[in-house]
Amino acid sequence: MDTMESKLYEGYYRDFIEKTPFMILVTDENGLLFHVNEAWKRVLNYPVDVEMNQSLWHFVHPYSRTLCQDNFRQASPGDCFDLEIVFIASDRSLVFAEGKFNCSYDAINQLKIITGIVQDVTDQNQQTLEIERIKYHLEEKINYWNMLQKAYASLINEEMKHFDDNIVEVLKRFGRLVYADRAFIIEYNFKNQFSTITYEWCNQKITSKKNQLTQIPFSKMEDWIEAHVSGEFFYIQDVLSLPNKNPLRNLLESYAIMSMIAVPMIKEGKCFGCVGFDSVKVHRTEAEVEKQILSDLGTLFLYAIKRRKKYMDLHEKDTRYRSYLKNAPVAIVICDKVGKIQEVNLELCLLSGFTQKELIGKKIKKLFSMDLTEHLDGCFLQELNKPCTAVLLTKSGESYDTKVSISKANATELVLSIVKMESD
């Protein structure tokens, strides 16, 4: 075939590709589109002269995205396979298609190429598809609320020692749900005018920014902070659309962020921080779903973080309280309502001769020659703090006259302070 015949053949081939009623697409295994024909654009309600520079996954409904990705990854050069795809048209309607796909290899660029020829079958199966769509949306909503309930349980009901790991797990779960590359929580310090990333999840091969972005000055994210203080979400569809000298563009661009969305965490009109998603691999051209998810997560995270802070404050106070008791210069016993010993300090051990192990879990009567039950009950019922005298029995058999002061520590514990009385 000479050069003229070759060019004529290529022209016929191009005309066939563009004019065929079948939807034709060429992409790599990661969804990077190299070409779509006119039929593909018409079916999805896009102008035929518009450039399709988005990822294929931007046009594929999550209903079938995972199936497509699995087939693309598993295909080897030379493989052919059938596939059903649910596309999202420009007006957000669903287009159901089915067709054949072929896998080849581009040795020059070292890429696995997927070529698909598919046909729009929406009209032929409209009733069945409508039922399936309703069923899918119901199942999708149920699954989403189940995910939220599990997230709530992991942050509220589980032990606090797992809290940080559980926060990251929730970010991971919902980040993957919307195909985000990074999910994060930022807390704001309005007194010192800076923000800090406190929690972060990154997808595979995505660089973490948590350890580098601490105490970020508000001056680098003015529009962001202003939106959140006003209760509005902050969304950047294309980071490169920001002015070249914009501090926020420089900040986001340094981590290869193409699109991002962040929703404020607000309680009683006060903004405490935000939760958001980053896109590094593709532009996120529509963010309504992400906005709703982040709003729900923001409410959950804020409640959980505030609850944890109260827990940590109480734990710190309790630790200090226990430390004071342990090193107090008077003998101290902590017991419950029925007189079961919960804790004793070192001074009590020195006075009685018993070790902590020998006393904890035993009844208070092990230490005294008289029954103190009435005094314990009186303190719990009327919160009395009237001292009484009692004979303390030591491990060696000795006994001492002591003055015992009983006070209520909390709803379940009493504190007994014991002072040895000097003999006349």
Side-chain angles (χ1 to χ4, degrees), residues 178-416:
V178 298
Y179 300 93
D181 297 308
R182 190 186 289 112
F184 56 85
I185 295 175
I186 295 179
E187 294 188 27
Y188 297 149
N189 185 323
F190 285 96
K191 180 179 179 181
N192 297 307
Q193 296 286 290
F194 66 74
S195 63
T196 298
I197 298 179
T198 51
Y199 296 97
E200 179 191 57
W201 165 78
C202 295
N203 212 337
Q204 293 182 352
K205 299 180 180 179
I206 300 298
T207 304
S208 169
K209 61 182 183 179
K210 179 176 180 290
N211 295 330
Q212 287 72 35
L213 297 183
T214 58
Q215 299 189 0
I216 312 161
F218 281 0
S219 58
K220 289 189 175 182
M221 46 193 306
E222 290 181 354
D223 293 342
W224 182 322
I225 298 296
E226 182 179 342
H228 285 176
V229 170
S230 301
E232 302 292 334
F233 72 99
F234 187 70
Y235 169 50
I236 301 178
Q237 180 176 325
D238 183 2
V239 170
L240 296 182
S241 67
L242 298 174
N244 287 329
K245 295 184 179 180
N246 186 295
L248 183 57
R249 170 176 172 168
N250 296 333
L251 182 68
L252 300 177
E253 198 175 0
S254 64
Y255 287 89
I257 298 171
M258 300 176 69
S259 303
M260 60 77 57
I261 180 172
V263 172
M265 296 189 296
I266 295 178
K267 184 178 181 181
E268 297 176 353
K270 183 179 179 181
C271 183
F272 294 89
C274 69
V275 56
F277 295 135
D278 286 339
S279 293
V280 173
K281 297 176 182 177
V282 297
H283 287 103
R284 192 169 293 275
T285 58
E286 187 266 328
E288 284 304 310
V289 173
E290 290 86 340
K291 178 184 173 184
Q292 181 60 56
I293 290 174
L294 290 172
S295 295
D296 293 335
L297 288 180
T299 302
L300 171 61
F301 285 146
L302 183 57
Y303 175 76
I305 291 170
K306 289 293 179 184
R307 179 176 176 274
R308 189 210 189 197
K309 187 177 186 305
K310 287 182 180 180
Y311 170 85
M312 296 302 293
D313 289 344
L314 288 173
H315 180 71
E316 184 181 348
K317 289 179 181 178
D318 185 67
T319 301
R320 288 201 304 268
Y321 166 70
R322 301 289 175 181
S323 177
Y324 296 154
L325 292 180
K326 179 180 179 181
N327 299 299
V330 296
I332 292 177
V333 177
I334 298 176
C335 68
D336 61 16
K337 295 179 181 181
V338 296
K340 186 177 180 180
I341 297 174
Q342 307 296 312
E343 191 173 342
V344 296
N345 71 345
L346 297 177
E347 193 68 23
L348 187 282
C349 293
L350 291 173
L351 183 62
S352 67
F354 291 105
T355 65
Q356 290 179 321
K357 187 175 180 180
E358 290 172 326
L359 291 174
I360 294 175
K362 304 296 191 299
K363 288 296 185 72
I364 194 72
K365 63 183 180 181
K366 182 180 178 72
L367 285 171
F368 296 99
S369 62
M370 62 177 288
D371 188 359
L372 296 178
T373 303
E374 183 178 340
H375 295 276
L376 299 180
D377 290 341
C379 184
F380 258 112
L381 294 174
Q382 303 178 31
E383 297 193 20
L384 301 175
N385 190 11
K386 189 175 181 180
C388 64
T389 57
V391 176
L392 179 74
L393 305 176
T394 67
K395 183 177 180 180
S396 63
E398 295 182 83
S399 60
Y400 302 112
D401 290 332
T402 62
K403 181 179 286 187
V404 181
S405 296
I406 306 173
S407 58
K408 187 175 179 180
N410 52 49
T412 60
E413 292 181 330
L414 292 165
V415 178
L416 283 69

Side-chain angles (χ1 to χ4, degrees), residues 49-236:
D49 57 347
V50 71
E51 288 294 327
M52 290 293 160
N53 55 7
Q54 300 288 348
S55 165
L56 173 63
W57 311 130
H58 172 75
F59 305 99
V60 178
H61 195 277
Y63 176 74
S64 63
R65 189 180 300 164
T66 302
L67 178 63
C68 290
Q69 291 173 328
D70 288 344
N71 274 272
F72 284 14
R73 280 193 295 266
Q74 294 170 10
S76 299
D79 287 351
C80 293
F81 54 94
D82 296 330
L83 191 60
E84 295 179 356
I85 303 182
V86 182
F87 290 109
I88 304 173
S90 63
D91 60 0
R92 310 309 298 164
S93 63
L94 300 184
V95 175
F96 293 80
E98 59 184 29
K100 296 187 177 294
F101 289 78
N102 174 70
C103 179
S104 59
Y105 187 73
D106 182 347
I108 297 177
N109 297 303
Q110 297 185 334
L111 288 174
K112 192 164 71 173
I113 304 298
I114 307 293
T115 303
I117 302 178
V118 298
Q119 183 178 13
D120 177 11
V121 295
T122 305
D123 292 339
Q124 295 94 309
N125 301 280
Q126 192 60 50
Q127 186 175 4
T128 302
L129 295 174
E130 185 65 23
I131 294 172
E132 289 297 319
R133 183 170 64 174
I134 292 172
K135 179 182 175 183
Y136 166 69
H137 282 303
L138 287 174
E139 290 176 348
E140 188 179 53
K141 188 169 289 187
I142 291 171
N143 290 336
Y144 173 66
W145 286 111
N146 285 339
M147 287 179 66
L148 277 179
Q149 288 176 349
K150 288 180 181 179
Y152 178 87
S154 69
L155 298 179
I156 304 302
N157 298 335
E158 292 191 17
E159 295 182 40
M160 282 294 174
K161 64 182 180 180
H162 302 305
F163 184 84
D164 290 346
D165 291 337
N166 289 338
I167 283 270
V168 175
E169 180 62 30
V170 173
L171 288 172
K172 172 184 175 181
R173 201 176 303 153
F174 285 90
R176 285 183 167 174
L177 181 66
V178 298
Y179 300 93
D181 297 308
R182 190 186 289 112
F184 56 85
I185 295 175
I186 295 179
E187 294 188 27
Y188 297 149
N189 185 323
F190 285 96
K191 180 179 179 181
N192 297 307
Q193 296 286 290
F194 66 74
S195 63
T196 298
I197 298 179
T198 51
Y199 296 97
E200 179 191 57
W201 165 78
C202 295
N203 212 337
Q204 293 182 352
K205 299 180 180 179
I206 300 298
T207 304
S208 169
K209 61 182 183 179
K210 179 176 180 290
N211 295 330
Q212 287 72 35
L213 297 183
T214 58
Q215 299 189 0
I216 312 161
F218 281 0
S219 58
K220 289 189 175 182
M221 46 193 306
E222 290 181 354
D223 293 342
W224 182 322
I225 298 296
E226 182 179 342
H228 285 176
V229 170
S230 301
E232 302 292 334
F233 72 99
F234 187 70
Y235 169 50
I236 301 178

